[in-house]
Amino acid sequence: MANYKHILLAVDFSDHGIEVASRAGQLAELNHAQLTVVHVVENLPITEATYGPIPFDVDFTQTLLDDAKTRLAKVAAGLNVPEERRLLEMGSPKLEIVRVADENQIDLIVLGSHGRHGLALLLGSTANGVLHHANCDVLAVRLKND
Ligand code: AMP
């Protein structure tokens, strides 16, 4: 079996993320593969109808992006992933992870079996969506619900 050449680690900064990150790091080392890290900032469903008038003028999106960039840099630095392979995207996590994988000739996506969205499930919704739509191998690192 040929080695993986380019591995994509999808991180959501949930508590178990460190386990998923270290598995991706190990696999990259064993396969002598490049490692790219991606985080997707979800579009905020904030509307006046949902929350009532928003009383102050804050750019939530920019705040979220800045915060995500700092967290992503921390994870990536721990894995020696250079800046050009730290990807911050916006939109639907499952769709963006698959798109980034296609555009970067990724041959293995590594993610957690669940994260922020999937604690009650065997597979979270992002993991499930990526498994269904990816055009390459996907490793869902089994995370326990503790
Ligand atoms: P979920 O299916 O949403 O519970 O999450 C499963 C896994 O998908 C997580 O452990 C992460 O590896 C990945 N993931 C979830 N959300 C994101 C996100 N916004 N950006 C990148 N990866 C994500």
Side-chain angles (χ1 to χ4, degrees):
M1 197 179 96
N3 280 1
Y4 291 113
K5 293 192 177 69
H6 196 173
I7 296 173
L8 179 66
L9 165 65
V11 291
D12 67 349
F13 312 129
S14 59
D15 292 344
H16 287 299
I18 196 154
E19 230 172 299
V20 183
S22 75
R23 183 63 58 88
Q26 276 172 1
L27 283 166
E29 225 175 285
L30 284 172
N31 286 270
H32 306 290
Q34 276 199 326
L35 184 59
T36 288
V37 184
V38 64
H39 175 74
V40 183
V41 174
E42 289 181 68
N43 292 321
L44 280 178
I46 291 179
T47 61
E48 276 211 5
T50 312
Y51 296 102
I54 298 170
F56 45 87
D57 182 19
V58 177
D59 186 346
F60 286 113
T61 306
Q62 195 53 52
T63 306
L64 279 180
L65 284 170
D66 290 346
D67 179 60
K69 197 171 174 195
T70 306
R71 289 168 179 245
L72 185 63
K74 207 167 155 194
V75 174
L79 294 165
N80 296 319
V81 172
E83 219 157 302
E84 66 272 16
R85 295 208 302 273
R86 303 172 183 178
L87 307 179
L88 188 56
E89 308 295 337
M90 277 194 77
S92 150
K94 60 177 181 270
L95 297 180
E96 288 302 304
I97 292 167
V98 170
R99 182 185 63 75
V100 162
D102 287 344
E103 287 179 4
N104 290 275
Q105 289 84 45
I106 295 294
D107 46 14
L108 177 67
I109 299 170
V110 178
L111 39 59
S113 56
H114 58 253
R116 296 181 185 283
H117 305 111
L119 268 182
L121 308 168
L122 181 63
L123 264 191
S125 58
T126 311
N128 196 39
V130 171
L131 273 165
H132 274 95
H133 296 288
N135 298 303
C136 64
D137 289 359
V138 179
L139 174 68
V141 177
R142 184 76 178 92
L143 300 171
K144 304 243 157 48
N145 294 349
D146 48 19

